[in-house]
Amino acid sequence: MIETCTKHYYERATDTCHDCGQVFCANCLVPRARRNKPLRCIDCALVAAGVRTSAHRVRRVSLS
């Protein structure tokens, strides 16, 4: 099964956001500034930069 972008249902997902865990197309992901930086969607990148609060974002559930 091919996954589709969380925001654009007609686009194929290319990768997963490191913070929220959702899959997105290339247009919805912010390019990494450096190789060791996490890949983030636009919303999570704005939160990480301090532009928005994290209240709107769904946190990724970790099973540990």
Side-chain angles (χ1 to χ4, degrees):
M1 183 168 134
I2 298 172
E3 292 188 69
T4 58
C5 176
T6 301
K7 289 189 176 185
H8 304 111
Y9 299 112
Y10 51 87
E11 291 287 333
R12 182 183 219 171
T14 57
D15 216 329
T16 305
C17 174
H18 178 265
D19 293 347
C20 67
Q22 296 181 13
V23 292
F24 293 97
C25 64
N27 292 330
C28 292
L29 293 168
V30 177
R32 294 178 176 138
R34 292 186 215 129
R35 290 184 83 126
N36 61 347
K37 295 289 183 179
L39 187 63
R40 292 184 171 111
C41 65
I42 295 170
D43 290 336
C44 291
L46 290 172
V47 171
V51 177
R52 289 189 185 163
T53 63
S54 61
H56 77 283
R57 184 169 71 174
V58 176
R59 297 278 178 178
R60 182 172 44 177
V61 177
S62 62
L63 302 172
S64 5

